[in-house]
Amino acid sequence: MNKTLYIIVLLLSLVGCKPTASVIVTSKEEAKSKGLYTEPQNTATLPKNNLKSTSKGIAETKKQESTKSKKTKISEPEDDYEPDNDGTSYFVKQLIHTALQYDGVRYRGGGTTPAGMDCSGLVFTVFKEFDITLPRSSNDMAKVGNKLKTSEIKKGDLVFFRTNGRKVINHVGLVTEVKDDEILFIHSSVQRGVIISSTKEPYYQRTFAQANRILSNELM
């Protein structure tokens, strides 16, 4: 009995001490095929297309931020002086340009500001901006300068009218353009405020009184 038990214990110890067969791997490919190696996954790496897209997005964002940070600058066109075909002087061009800035201003008796002005108020204000002081009323303005024939009228001259049915001059305008026998002038009318009208219009053709040259020939 003891001998049999001894034999069984001996056999069990021999089986437990049997060496395990070793696995030999000679390459990465062989390790992959045997399931012993797996390529590491780098989730932080972006595809090239995504990198380009991201870089472009960052650049656009920086450009937009840079644009927003810049102050908006309003610049006026710098047009050089170009002589008119009729030889209008630079001074007269500036005079007319100034008068046109009031186009659309409403009529106001005695007014001389953009809030409202009458006919002589418009002419008085425009010339005053060039340090030329004229009388305040159209009737008194008609007494200044030299009277002209219709054929002599040029840009920058003044045209006067009698619109009240009397002999007293009560309306004035500044000539802005001359077209053959038509004269365009800027003035302030009671109904429409500061506008450009024509001597071809029946009303002004009928009430026309005279034209005066206030400026010297050197300025014309």
Side-chain angles (χ1 to χ4, degrees):
M1 181 69 180
N2 291 334
K3 187 177 182 180
T4 303
L5 182 61
Y6 174 76
I7 294 171
I8 291 172
V9 174
L10 180 62
L11 289 173
L12 288 174
S13 63
L14 290 173
V15 172
C17 295
K18 186 178 179 180
T20 303
S22 61
V23 179
I24 300 174
V25 178
T26 60
S27 66
K28 183 188 292 185
E29 288 72 19
E30 186 177 353
K32 287 181 180 179
S33 65
K34 292 182 179 181
L36 300 176
Y37 176 79
T38 304
E39 287 281 358
Q41 298 293 325
N42 188 357
T43 57
T45 304
L46 293 174
K48 292 183 177 179
N49 291 339
N50 286 347
L51 287 174
K52 291 181 180 179
S53 176
T54 304
S55 299
K56 183 177 180 181
I58 294 173
E60 288 293 333
T61 302
K62 288 183 178 179
K63 183 178 180 181
Q64 292 175 4
E65 291 177 351
S66 176
T67 302
K68 289 180 181 179
S69 64
K70 292 181 180 179
K71 293 183 179 179
T72 303
K73 182 179 180 181
I74 301 176
S75 59
E76 296 181 357
E78 297 179 357
D79 294 331
D80 193 14
Y81 168 66
E82 296 181 4
D84 292 333
N85 293 331
D86 60 2
T88 301
S89 70
Y90 180 75
F91 181 84
V92 171
K93 288 184 66 174
Q94 292 302 306
L95 189 74
I96 294 172
H97 174 76
T98 300
L100 293 175
Q101 302 306 302
Y102 295 102
D103 188 16
V105 170
R106 71 186 185 91
Y107 179 88
R108 175 182 288 177
T112 58
T113 71
M117 50 181 53
D118 57 20
C119 62
S120 58
L122 169 65
V123 174
F124 176 86
T125 299
V126 171
F127 277 82
K128 187 67 175 178
E129 290 191 28
F130 293 88
D131 295 325
I132 300 175
T133 303
L134 298 178
R136 181 58 185 83
S137 71
S138 56
N139 186 51
D140 288 334
M141 285 183 187
K143 302 173 183 177
V144 178
N146 300 315
K147 290 184 180 180
L148 303 170
K149 296 179 181 178
T150 304
S151 59
E152 297 174 332
I153 298 175
K154 293 182 179 181
K155 295 179 182 180
D157 290 330
L158 300 183
V159 285
F160 297 91
F161 303 86
R162 298 186 182 95
T163 62
N164 56 4
R166 297 182 296 175
K167 293 183 179 181
V168 177
I169 289 175
N170 67 324
H171 195 66
V172 61
L174 172 67
V175 177
T176 59
E177 193 169 354
V178 178
K179 298 180 178 179
D180 298 327
D181 59 343
E182 180 182 18
I183 299 169
L184 300 180
F185 59 97
I186 187 169
H187 64 124
S188 182
S189 67
V190 175
Q191 294 181 345
R192 299 173 61 190
V194 179
I195 58 173
I196 294 178
S197 298
S198 168
T199 54
K200 283 284 189 179
E201 297 174 38
Y203 179 76
Y204 294 110
Q205 194 171 26
R206 183 177 68 253
T207 59
F208 176 78
Q210 68 187 59
N212 284 27
R213 179 160 298 160
I214 304 299
L215 301 175
S216 64
N217 291 330
E218 289 75 12
L219 294 177
M220 294 297 291

